[in-house]
Amino acid sequence: MHLIFFKPNQWESWDLGRRPLIPEGMPVLVDDDLEFEASGALRPAAVANLWLRELPVSGAPAQKTWKSYAQALRSWLEFLAAAGVDPFGDREEVRKALSSFSEFRFSGPLESRWDPGTWNTNINAVARFYQWAVDQEYCASVPFTYTTVRRETDAGVRTTTRNTATVRKAKPHVTVKYLEADYWQLFIRALAGLGPDGEPDGFRGRNLGRNSAMGALVKSGGQRAQEFTHLLTYELPTLPARRSDVPVRFPLAAQITKGKKPRETWASWDSLADMWQYIELDRAAITDGREYRPDPRLGKPLHVTAPDWEGGKVNGRRVSWRKLTLSERLRLVTPEGTPAIIALQSDGTPFTDWATTFRRTSERIRRDYQPRFPTVGPHVIRHTMAMATLELLVKGYYQQAAALVAKTGEDAALALYLTKADPLLVLRDLLGHSSVTTTEIYIQRLDVQRIYQDLYTAAGRENDLAMAEAAAEFDSEEDELW
């Protein structure tokens, strides 16, 4: 079974009356014989395509989610086809195939095995497809069994359902990884080709200025890989004339964020300065004398004129940068004939493989300096930003709260401040989480109690306040935990 992704390029030559109503990048499953029907009925792959096409309006607007679901369905349908089982046939027959599929994915050939997280993700996607297929009357029943689960939450006991085909895996707070301050310094210096002491280490890699500048920017603002990979030079905030500890506002367009939800994060002055230095020196040297021609597989070039921070004319029509999709951003050609994407390769084309760059840097650190150094990916840097930012927010939170008490002596004023400036709520907005519960996952590995206690006490000393009551509160919490 083939998995392709729809591209509307040159649809006018397809002998159609109008452009196909299929989103760009939508996955399409095709059987090996390229047929979509059998005996006048849709084949399972064709039914799966109907479900995939509804994902954008069914709570899954991200192209990565479409791809993940399509890959899960392809694996399942290919297995059933090899076993001679009709996906929409007898429920007991499909359940037997499901058991065999589980054995195949956990104990089969090494190259076919899945870890528990991959299994759960894929099997839940298949279950979601079957629920839709039953609603649309393509099959009689769902081949999965569900059980009722009671969960303790801050809002009380909630009842949910769980697919019994899923397996237990490590809790999120166990698997979250981030870099402590010393490891982060080791990593950011290695990206720049420097050793632990900050001196050149002899590494002759390319684009070291680009790598370290982007690493610092992500550590500052917590952007996801998709978000910082597709940033345009026009979208990078202007560097303030004077250095300041106050971070700079950094809006992110909906087209590049997860779930296409626009949000605003921030960037430190130093990280912006490094990025602008890369753009004005290293990047300018790479593009000098080159004319960028986008990969034809992406589509026709989009030529930009009269650009500003908000938008520009794209092929003669005024367009906001916020409306440009990922592939369109890669096709942008500036008035100077260069890509509009910030990060470039040595040949002057957009650079997108940040995961490999970070992984190879991690391997080099393990080889040359620290054998226990972890493998760093884009999301590890995002986690690192979350942890470091939380500590900074907590520090400022208590410093201002203590100063407010010292100045007013009113508990009411303090209570108002604490309800309006909760660090977790600030961090939630910076990371683009829909719920503070998600943000809490990031801090499970951090010694939050120590941070709050130490910073609260320090703030009190600075403002000549007695913090014995606060210390007692922390002590009592510790006793309750044990």
Side-chain angles (χ1 to χ4, degrees), residues 10-28:
Q10 300 179 344
W11 68 267
E12 296 87 351
S13 63
W14 298 351
D15 195 23
L16 299 175
R18 65 179 182 181
R19 183 186 186 279
L21 298 177
I22 302 177
E24 183 174 353
M26 174 60 63
V28 180

Side-chain angles (χ1 to χ4, degrees), residues 26 35 48 131 176 183 195 224 248 266 286 295 328 335 345-346 348 382 390 436 466:
M26 174 60 63
E35 295 289 339
Q131 290 169 349
V176 167
Y183 269 27
R224 295 181 175 90
V248 180
W266 61 32
I286 290 174
D295 188 332
E328 288 170 343
Q345 302 185 79
S346 299
R382 178 171 158 85
L390 179 67
V436 74

Side-chain angles (χ1 to χ4, degrees), residues 35-295:
E35 295 289 339
F36 289 98
E37 294 184 1
S39 301
L42 290 177
R43 289 186 174 183
V47 176
N49 291 333
L50 294 178
W51 175 67
L52 291 170
R53 285 183 58 180
E54 292 189 11
L55 289 179
V57 291
S58 301
Q63 288 190 7
K64 286 186 176 180
T65 303
W66 307 345
K67 180 180 179 180
S68 175
Y69 284 5
Q71 290 172 331
L73 275 181
R74 180 177 64 171
S75 298
W76 170 243
L77 294 178
E78 286 180 335
F79 182 84
L80 292 182
V85 176
D86 181 0
F88 304 138
D90 180 71
R91 183 175 187 270
E92 292 306 315
E93 187 74 8
V94 177
R95 284 182 61 80
K96 290 178 182 178
L98 180 62
S99 295
S100 297
F101 186 59
S102 172
E103 181 182 14
F104 173 69
R105 288 302 179 183
F106 285 116
S107 305
L110 186 60
E111 65 275 9
S112 301
R113 295 178 195 172
W114 289 344
D115 59 36
T118 302
W119 167 264
N120 288 348
T121 298
N122 290 342
I123 213 64
N124 281 327
V126 172
R128 185 172 176 176
F129 164 67
Y130 269 102
Q131 290 169 349
W132 172 88
V134 170
D135 290 340
Q136 300 298 316
E137 300 182 351
Y138 287 106
C139 66
S141 61
V142 173
F144 297 94
T145 301
Y146 294 85
T147 184
T148 301
V149 179
R150 290 165 58 87
R151 299 186 186 279
E152 294 283 347
T153 68
D154 292 339
V157 178
R158 295 291 179 87
T159 301
T160 60
T161 59
R162 184 181 72 85
N163 187 343
T164 58
T166 58
V167 297
R168 291 186 177 275
K169 60 178 183 177
K171 294 183 178 180
H173 70 270
V174 175
T175 58
V176 167
K177 299 178 181 179
Y178 67 99
L179 300 180
E180 296 283 1
D182 56 341
Y183 269 27
W184 170 254
Q185 186 178 60
L186 187 62
F187 181 71
I188 195 66
R189 284 180 172 175
L191 284 175
L194 305 177
D197 56 0
E199 297 295 325
D201 65 355
F203 177 64
R204 298 192 177 186
R206 299 179 178 180
N207 302 300
L208 301 178
R210 177 200 70 189
N211 297 343
S212 61
M214 187 62 79
L217 189 70
V218 178
K219 163 63 163 53
S220 173
Q223 296 88 348
R224 295 181 175 90
Q226 176 176 284
E227 296 166 352
F228 68 78
T229 299
H230 295 86
L231 275 176
L232 306 180
T233 54
Y234 307 118
E235 295 177 306
L236 189 67
T238 302
L239 184 67
R242 295 183 180 180
R243 189 188 184 285
S244 172
D245 292 333
V246 178
V248 180
R249 295 173 53 193
F250 198 153
L252 296 174
Q255 288 290 348
I256 65 174
T257 61
K258 182 179 181 180
K260 296 186 177 181
K261 296 180 292 185
R263 79 172 192 275
E264 185 174 284
T265 183
W266 61 32
S268 68
W269 192 95
D270 289 335
S271 67
L272 276 181
D274 290 345
M275 183 56 74
W276 277 113
Q277 178 174 292
Y278 158 70
I279 291 174
E280 295 170 358
L281 297 179
D282 297 26
R283 189 180 187 279
I286 290 174
T287 58
D288 185 36
R290 297 178 184 269
E291 182 177 353
Y292 173 52
R293 295 181 180 178
D295 188 332

Side-chain angles (χ1 to χ4, degrees), residues 12 32 70 285 427 430 454:
E12 296 87 351
D32 292 338
L427 186 58
L430 290 173
D454 291 351

